[in-house]
Amino acid sequence: MAERSFKAEVEQLKLGDGESFHGEGILAVTKALLQAGVAYVGGYQGSPISHLMDVFSDASDLMAGLGAHFESSASEATAAAMLAASVNYPLRGAVAWKSVVGTNVASDALSNVASGGVTGGALIILGEDYGEGSSIMQERTHAFAMKSQMWLLDPRPSLPLIVDMVEKGFELSEASNTPVMLELRVRACHVTGSFTARDNRRPPLTVAEAAAAPTRDTNRIVLPPANFLHEVEKIEKRWPAGIDFVRRHRLNEHFGTERDEIGIIVQGGLFNSLNRALELLDLSDAFGNAALPVYVLNVTYPLIPDEVQAFCAGKRAVLVVEEGQPEFIEHELNTLVRRADLQTRIVGKDVLPRAGEYTAAVIKDGIARFLRAHAPDRAPAEEPAQPPALPPGAVPQRPAGFCTGCPERPIFSAMKLVQKEVGELHVSADIGCHLFSILPPFHIGNTTMGYGLGTAGASAFKPEGKRAVAIMGDGGFWHNGLTSGIGNAVFNQDDNLTIIVDNGYSAATGGQDIPSSRARPPHRQTNNPIERAVRGVGIGWAQTRTRTYDVTGMRDAIRDALTSPEKGPKVLVAQSECQLNRQRRIKPQMAKALRAGERVVRERFGVDPDTCTGDHSCIRLSGCPSLTIRSNPDPLRQDPIAHVENSCVGCGVCGEVSHAAVLCPSFYKARIIANPDRRDRLRHRLRGWVIGALQRRSARRLAARAF
């Protein structure tokens, strides 16, 4: 069950020639693929293109009707290998994933297809996850594009341009026999706008038709002696063809004035932020009518020497707005300017930060420094340094954490309890929601090396008298962990424990189904148990816990795995449904029942203020967002007491943790009943009468003792 359904929006993908399309960037990309006659589409979900994969999935019937094949790939490497269809056949294919981590996973296939080249158009749509709240290492796609010589498009965030760049990307790939990368930052994925649609096209050749008439060209296979010729072909044929296509079709853009002594060169994806910065300096308006020349690189690799020379000629200085480092574009621009024997000063990282996201505010400050140095008559007055709005520490930090009711939280509560018995453990973490365990209140996790690599990361550790522990999610397990982690541990007989967090979905990327999901989506096979898979590759000690909220049971299972006399790798599958997906599933059902006047029961937990001692051990072992503190109602006690907010979903972890840790009996469970029936009302009156009678008796006894 994906985080969001695009079934309604997908109807817009059927719009024909001349009709107006309005929607998000990811929908525009999908429409552009259909208009371009794409023959096959694949990919793997990950921010910021997770929803693009969801759109592909929801539009799969429409694609099939046009003769286009869609596959939700097992990994980025699987998706990249699909591009083999464009090597020998004139098939247009597109694949998508999160960069740069996904590109790293796909690197083997990408290097091969870039070396041999393609006959059909091959487009790689990348979610460029740099800055903007990224959750990964801060690297850029640019280096990989240069290394393997694949053209890199970075379109200005405008729907008409993005649509055009998708279609031109296919044409560029075909004209130069080179795969093309199209990178989309999060703002480009979700920018909303309109464009004039064209009719969807059935591919001239489908994958089924291509397979029915096999064609082979040994010169396209990366094997001696052909592989030695590929490098020569890249330089002597593909490079000039790519340069010529970009130049002739004017894929790069110019904004602002035609002539000036200064100018700006910017990556296409950063243009909107740049223009906003210029607006704040009174050097542009909302429509990009800048007061100085701006050269927009919608193609950031390769650069076009003639265009660079024409833009820089006659200018004293040019500012390069290039996010991230190393400054590949700035270096290349310096080379091109020197080769053209121009005296233009290329300015970049000396006025802009070497690292970090280039927001409008950051770019504005950089432009101001550039103007003061190279056009002081147009430079704004230097603003005095402003004191911080709030003194340090005034607002407490709120680290990222598990959602309310998350089934992964009790796993780490149980691990904390086990560590009290066996001592500190080396925990090899993994990519996914469970990585939040490294933060307060758990502080569990020593390293993380990549998606599905938790077990592999623990393989080097052989602690004396202990076992290393690895964490892996079900998404990471199916992506890479089964072979790289579990299979490797079996082969080498690593005496460690892998805890596989099985929440039923690829949860961190939006709740997409995976092979072990309980749902039964059309056209896919699910319900493949993880324990069966690990036993199939040789795991002897394996156990599945079907309710992670049972903290006592989880604690005992982890302890048993860590103290078992049996040698060799062990796997504990910790299984409970992702609470976010569960809420997405049951809330509409509950709302429908409420509207129909049906009886609806919702469970939640609470804390008895008269019993709570205020030691907050429950919070330190749980960290649930709905578990907080409030003032003590007892005037004789000063410590604030624990309190459960109304956001509680009734998972019971707070009470379970308190019980497992032998903390306190202050938690209670309440059942909130909407549209109660006669029995509910009768029970309510009976309970009220009994409680009232007991309270009156207690009051009489207290009064008697007082006198």
Side-chain angles (χ1 to χ4, degrees), residues 354-570:
R354 294 193 64 83
E357 180 186 353
Y358 279 9
T359 62
V362 170
I363 297 175
K364 171 178 171 285
D365 292 343
I367 294 173
R369 284 189 284 269
F370 171 72
L371 293 174
R372 291 188 193 105
H374 301 283
D377 55 316
R378 283 184 274 181
E382 193 160 358
E383 298 177 3
Q386 296 293 324
L390 291 171
V395 178
Q397 290 186 350
R398 183 186 179 189
F402 298 106
C403 300
T404 300
C406 177
E408 302 181 17
R409 179 179 290 105
I411 299 172
F412 300 104
S413 295
M415 288 183 67
K416 293 284 283 186
L417 296 173
V418 171
Q419 286 192 133
K420 285 186 175 181
E421 301 178 32
V422 303
E424 290 291 316
L425 299 167
H426 176 90
V427 178
S428 178
D430 208 323
I431 303 299
C433 299
H434 40 82
L435 190 56
F436 291 137
S437 65
I438 68 171
L439 301 173
F442 301 109
H443 302 285
I444 290 176
N446 299 70
T447 56
T448 176
M449 298 307 295
Y451 196 31
L453 294 176
T455 304
S459 61
F461 292 93
K462 306 291 187 291
E464 193 69 34
K466 282 187 181 181
R467 287 180 173 129
V469 177
I471 305 294
M472 189 187 300
D474 46 359
F477 171 80
W478 293 112
H479 176 276
N480 190 26
L482 176 59
T483 53
S484 297
I486 304 301
N488 179 73
V490 170
F491 183 71
N492 291 290
Q493 280 300 286
D494 293 328
D495 190 21
N496 54 24
L497 166 64
T498 297
I499 300 175
I500 300 177
V501 181
D502 180 8
N503 58 26
Y505 310 88
S506 183
T509 59
Q512 292 82 9
D513 288 320
I514 52 178
S516 52
S517 294
R518 312 300 184 275
R520 297 185 182 276
H523 317 304
R524 292 174 189 161
Q525 180 180 327
T526 54
N527 287 272
N528 300 290
I530 290 176
E531 183 176 335
R532 184 188 300 174
V534 300
R535 288 190 181 279
V537 296
I539 291 289
W541 194 106
Q543 186 182 129
T544 299
R545 299 288 307 182
T546 58
R547 184 174 178 272
T548 64
Y549 298 107
D550 177 8
V551 178
T552 302
M554 282 301 309
R555 178 199 62 191
D556 294 345
I558 295 171
R559 185 203 298 122
D560 290 347
L562 292 174
T563 58
S564 168
E566 183 177 339
K567 299 298 182 181
K570 297 160 189 63

Side-chain angles (χ1 to χ4, degrees), residues 612-614 616 629-641:
C612 178
T613 62
H616 309 146
I629 59 173
R630 71 175 184 182
S631 300
N632 201 315
D634 190 337
L636 299 180
R637 292 189 294 171
Q638 294 182 344
D639 293 333
I641 60 169

Side-chain angles (χ1 to χ4, degrees), residues 605-608 611 618 627 642 644 654-655 658 664-669:
F605 280 72
V607 175
D608 182 357
T611 308
C618 52
L627 189 58
V644 180
C654 48
S658 297
C664 69
S666 61
F667 286 92
Y668 65 83
K669 181 168 70 173

Side-chain angles (χ1 to χ4, degrees), residues 270-455:
L270 296 180
F271 175 80
N272 289 4
S273 296
L274 168 69
N275 193 63
R276 178 57 182 155
L278 291 172
E279 278 190 87
L280 295 173
L281 293 168
D282 294 324
L283 293 172
S284 188
D285 60 19
F287 302 99
N289 296 312
L292 68 168
V294 179
Y295 177 38
V296 181
L297 297 176
N298 292 316
V299 182
T300 53
Y301 182 78
L303 298 182
I304 313 303
D306 295 350
E307 292 183 359
V308 170
Q309 180 179 346
F311 183 80
C312 293
K315 291 184 176 63
R316 189 168 58 250
V318 169
L319 173 65
V320 183
V321 182
E322 176 186 7
E323 191 174 58
Q325 54 82 38
E327 53 272 32
F328 302 114
I329 298 174
E330 184 179 340
H331 289 164
E332 182 64 14
L333 286 171
N334 270 301
T335 300
L336 294 176
V337 166
R338 297 288 84 79
R339 283 177 180 170
D341 197 24
L342 298 175
Q343 302 309 307
T344 307
R345 171 78 182 274
I346 300 297
V347 181
K349 298 301 182 185
D350 40 356
V351 297
L352 284 162
R354 294 193 64 83
E357 180 186 353
Y358 279 9
T359 62
V362 170
I363 297 175
K364 171 178 171 285
D365 292 343
I367 294 173
R369 284 189 284 269
F370 171 72
L371 293 174
R372 291 188 193 105
H374 301 283
D377 55 316
R378 283 184 274 181
E382 193 160 358
E383 298 177 3
Q386 296 293 324
L390 291 171
V395 178
Q397 290 186 350
R398 183 186 179 189
F402 298 106
C403 300
T404 300
C406 177
E408 302 181 17
R409 179 179 290 105
I411 299 172
F412 300 104
S413 295
M415 288 183 67
K416 293 284 283 186
L417 296 173
V418 171
Q419 286 192 133
K420 285 186 175 181
E421 301 178 32
V422 303
E424 290 291 316
L425 299 167
H426 176 90
V427 178
S428 178
D430 208 323
I431 303 299
C433 299
H434 40 82
L435 190 56
F436 291 137
S437 65
I438 68 171
L439 301 173
F442 301 109
H443 302 285
I444 290 176
N446 299 70
T447 56
T448 176
M449 298 307 295
Y451 196 31
L453 294 176
T455 304

Side-chain angles (χ1 to χ4, degrees), residues 571-640:
V571 172
L572 175 61
V573 182
Q575 195 177 79
S576 277
E577 185 181 13
C578 167
Q579 190 64 234
L580 274 183
N581 271 48
R582 180 176 179 272
Q583 293 301 314
R584 292 185 193 113
R585 182 169 52 78
I586 68 173
K587 278 188 174 181
Q589 299 171 359
M590 294 175 66
K592 182 179 179 181
L594 285 170
R595 287 193 299 270
E598 298 176 10
R599 179 177 181 269
V600 175
V601 180
R602 180 170 71 90
E603 291 185 347
R604 61 158 294 178
F605 280 72
V607 175
D608 182 357
D610 294 328
T611 308
C612 178
T613 62
D615 68 349
H616 309 146
S617 297
C618 52
I619 295 176
R620 290 194 293 273
L621 273 171
S622 170
C624 178
S626 69
L627 189 58
T628 182
I629 59 173
R630 71 175 184 182
S631 300
N632 201 315
D634 190 337
L636 299 180
R637 292 189 294 171
Q638 294 182 344
D639 293 333

